[in-house]
Amino acid sequence: MAFGISARLLPQVTAKQNSPPNFAATNAEHHQCVSKIPSFWSKVLPLAVAVSLVAPLPSSAIPSLNSKSSPVAPMTPFSQSKNLPTGLQNGKIRPCPSVNPGCVSTNPQSSSSAFPLIISQNSSGNAIMQLQDAILKTQKNAKIQVVEDIPDGKYLQAEVDGGFGRDVLEFLVKGDSVAYRAMATKVTYIYPFTTAFGDSKGQEERMKMIAEELGWYAPSLDSMD
């Protein structure tokens, strides 16, 4: 009797000790844990996306494919001649730009300098009005651009036809002295040379024509010989 009971119990005990691991139970627990992960991220991801939309990263943190530093174009005589300033400089007529040979100025710092005009003692009336009339009479398609009062004098600027475009005439009338600058606004270069084409003779002839029309004295080095 005792042997029969032990024979029935022994296989059960042995089966427990030698039975392989229950993979089904392990897999069920694993799937249960994995099933919890999507549920967790389904709550976290929308929050992360919302935060990224509300508070974007600085632009410097995200490199742009189109952000390329544009190289600075080197300054050349041709590029400098594109934007030549006009108007008075510290209350004086400007000198001729070094990149523009088609210019003459009474500013002594100019490479092509001239003496100021001298208003004749016999001249009567408003000098600036006489100057306007002489420009309109002697120059092609002349247009008076600026007439303004300055301390102790008047400033006049006009545009006229030049050899390759429009030229700018500037006058500063103070007492019986008239400082001026006559300058071509278009500078011509012949490839491959980097020196501008032209000279100041055309501007000198223009100013001589205006002075003769006015009857004003235009001093020159030749007249001083």
Side-chain angles (χ1 to χ4, degrees):
M1 178 70 68
F3 178 78
I5 295 173
S6 63
R8 285 193 295 269
L9 292 176
L10 185 58
Q12 295 178 4
V13 173
T14 304
K16 266 184 187 181
Q17 291 177 349
N18 298 327
S19 60
N22 191 345
F23 290 104
T26 304
N27 289 337
E29 293 176 359
H30 173 73
H31 286 301
Q32 185 177 3
C33 294
V34 171
S35 64
K36 292 180 181 181
I37 294 176
S39 176
F40 169 76
W41 286 110
S42 65
K43 297 177 181 180
V44 174
L45 285 177
L47 179 61
V49 172
V51 171
S52 65
L53 292 176
V54 174
L57 290 174
S59 58
S60 59
I62 304 176
S64 173
L65 296 177
N66 297 325
S67 60
K68 295 180 180 180
S69 58
S70 56
V72 179
M75 292 297 292
T76 63
F78 178 75
S79 62
Q80 291 177 15
S81 67
K82 289 295 185 180
N83 296 303
L84 299 174
T86 59
L88 299 178
Q89 185 178 44
N90 299 324
K92 298 179 180 180
I93 287 290
R94 292 176 180 268
C96 288
S98 59
V99 296
N100 189 346
C103 176
V104 63
S105 172
T106 56
N107 189 309
Q109 296 179 355
S110 178
S111 56
S112 299
S113 59
F115 294 102
L117 302 177
I118 305 300
I119 299 176
S120 173
Q121 295 181 354
N122 299 327
S123 178
S124 60
N126 189 323
I128 204 73
M129 292 298 297
Q130 294 177 4
L131 185 55
Q132 291 185 60
D133 293 340
I135 293 172
L136 295 172
K137 187 175 180 179
T138 62
Q139 305 303 309
K140 294 181 180 179
N141 297 324
K143 184 178 180 180
I144 306 301
Q145 299 282 35
V146 179
V147 176
E148 63 182 10
D149 294 328
I150 61 164
D152 304 326
K154 284 185 176 291
Y155 169 76
L156 183 149
Q157 182 183 123
E159 278 191 6
V160 299
D161 281 351
F164 298 98
R166 298 287 281 173
D167 291 1
V168 175
L169 308 182
E170 299 176 277
F171 298 88
L172 177 60
V173 180
K174 285 189 174 183
D176 61 352
S177 177
V178 182
Y180 63 85
R181 182 176 76 164
M183 179 181 69
T185 59
K186 184 176 181 180
V187 183
T188 303
Y189 288 83
I190 300 177
Y191 182 83
F193 303 105
T194 58
T195 301
F197 175 78
D199 54 41
S200 61
K201 290 182 179 179
Q203 304 295 353
E204 292 171 358
E205 290 297 323
R206 184 196 307 280
M207 296 309 304
K208 183 178 179 181
M209 188 183 303
I210 293 174
E212 289 177 351
E213 177 65 26
L214 289 164
W216 295 354
Y217 178 50
S220 66
L221 291 176
D222 294 336
S223 63
M224 294 181 178
D225 292 340

